[in-house]
Structure formats: C-alpha cells, structure tokens
Amino acid sequence: MKKAVILLSGGLDSATVLAIAQQQGYKCFTMSFDYGQRHRAELHASAKLAEAMGVTKHKVINIDLTAIGGSALTDSSIAVPQQHEEGIPITYVPARNTVFLSIALGWAEVLEADAIFVGVNAVDYSGYPDCRPEYIAAFETMANLATKTGVEGHKLTIETPLIDLSKQAIIEKGISLGVDYSLTVSCYQADNEGRACGECDSCRFRKEGFRQAGITDPTPYQD
C-alpha cells in the first residue's frame, strides 16, 4: 500500500488534504508542529482529526520558531492584523513551510513514503511566498536530490491538491468526503477552547468559503 506523510495543522485545509489522500488510497502518517504559535488549540484539533480520521500514526514535532520571531504568530509583541493588508502580511512565518516540509521529508524517507501532502493554496490565501506552485516544484526537485531514497530511484512527490481551489471549492470537496469541519481550528488567535476571533485573514477566508458554499459554518466564535 502506498504511503504518505500529511502535514496536519488542525485547520480546514489540512483536514481536507488528509481526506483526499485517504480517498486516493494512501496509508496516511500525519505530522503537526508545536513551533511556538500563539495558541495550542490547533494542535488539539490536529490530534482529534488524526484520531477521528483513523490515520496510521500521528506525530507532533517541537520546534521553537519564537527564537527567530519576525511574525505575528511567533512574536507576542506583534499584533495579528484585523484587516486585510497589502503585500505579504505580518502573519507570514519566515521559512515555515520550508522547515515543516524538510522535517516531513525526513520522516517520509524513513517510512519510504511515496508522497508528502500539504494544504497550501494560491487562490484564497494571504499571499505567503511558500504557498506558490513554483515553490512546491522547487522543493520537490530538491527533495529528490537531497535524499538517499531519491538518488536510489524512489522518487517522492509533493502533493498539493488544494493549490488552485477557492475556499468554497475546498469546503465542498471536504464535505463530499465526510470531513467534520467542527473539529478544525483555522483562526490565528483562537482562545484556549478553540473559539475563533472572526476577524483575522484566516477567519475571513473561512467564513466567506462557508457562505459561498451555502453550508452552515460550524466554527465557534468568541463573540
């Protein structure tokens, strides 16, 4: 049975990606990161999703990205914007996807996995540079040059099934696959109970996606 490592943040997109990988027949190994983000609610959500969706194994990797800061998600002195910002917003975490994918690559090599799935999106997104198709293509090339399995001919693919989908389309796909979005947490500044602020970029994209899909938003909000 083909195997895949799934980056599972606990959010809407990664839960959908996991369901897609399962639909495609992969034996799924999920990985989340405790990187010093503002809240732990998404980590609790990822564990619940992994259990509810019956993954083979779930890992949480500890990395302290607060040591370099530079983002509203890893530096408590920087406020999370409540309105859309032009350009790359301050919620961008420097090199986050490169760090996460590199560690996922290591586990994939150990598992002799065929693919890494990641829920990056270049349509309804905040403009992060490490969510673009050209970045993913470059990382896949690097991955197959940098690993023993790659140079021995066991090629790995980086799968991004959501990269050109709107949030509405992502939600509709997930619903068709039975994803329980009430288990997910997308908010950049959710409280300890996982309730969303309703104002950050991630909340706005999520709310609009449910509205456009005509599906009741199961997100608990702080207000």
Side-chain angles (χ1 to χ4, degrees):
M1 187 176 185
K2 57 186 180 179
K3 293 181 280 190
V5 174
I6 319 297
L7 293 183
L8 186 65
S9 69
L12 181 152
D13 291 344
S14 67
T16 309
V17 165
L18 172 56
I20 291 170
Q22 290 176 324
Q23 181 196 39
Q24 292 179 3
Y26 285 92
K27 185 176 183 179
C28 294
F29 298 78
T30 52
M31 178 174 279
S32 300
F33 293 89
D34 184 351
Y35 62 95
Q37 58 267 55
R38 279 183 169 262
H39 60 77
R40 303 188 64 81
E42 66 182 15
L43 290 171
H44 298 318
S46 66
K48 289 179 183 177
L49 284 164
E51 181 177 6
M53 298 178 73
V55 307
T56 302
K57 189 168 187 178
H58 178 65
K59 283 184 181 288
V60 178
I61 304 297
N62 294 295
I63 308 171
D64 183 15
L65 294 185
T66 66
I68 59 173
S71 167
L73 303 190
T74 55
D75 185 338
S76 59
S77 69
I78 303 174
V80 173
Q82 300 298 300
Q83 296 179 345
H84 175 71
E85 294 180 318
E86 293 299 323
I88 299 170
I90 195 62
T91 50
Y92 163 68
V93 179
R96 179 175 62 179
N97 282 351
T98 303
V99 172
F100 290 0
L101 282 168
S102 296
I103 294 174
L105 174 61
W107 196 24
E109 185 169 21
V110 170
L111 294 169
E112 297 185 343
D114 303 278
I116 297 172
F117 278 74
V118 58
V120 295
N121 178 264
V123 179
D124 286 340
Y125 81 128
S126 297
Y128 299 158
D130 52 5
C131 290
R132 296 173 299 155
E134 53 267 46
Y135 164 74
I136 296 298
F139 191 95
E140 181 177 290
T141 298
M142 182 279 296
N144 285 301
L145 291 171
T147 54
K148 179 176 181 288
T149 51
V151 299
E152 289 179 348
H154 184 84
K155 297 300 183 183
L156 178 90
T157 61
I158 309 297
E159 300 291 337
T160 58
L162 311 184
I163 200 155
D164 59 359
L165 298 184
S166 68
K167 194 65 73 180
Q168 174 187 346
I170 292 168
I171 291 168
E172 290 171 345
K173 179 67 173 178
I175 292 295
S176 75
L177 295 175
V179 176
D180 183 357
Y181 287 123
S182 71
L183 298 178
T184 64
V185 174
S186 301
C187 180
Y188 291 147
Q189 48 188 357
D191 64 16
N192 291 334
E193 297 176 23
R195 294 179 301 182
C197 73
E199 301 295 334
C200 67
D201 256 7
S202 187
C203 281
R204 289 196 295 272
F205 287 128
R206 180 177 170 123
K207 285 194 295 185
E208 184 63 12
F210 279 110
R211 188 193 66 78
Q212 291 176 347
I215 295 169
T216 301
D217 183 356
T219 310
Y221 290 100
Q222 293 168 27
D223 292 330

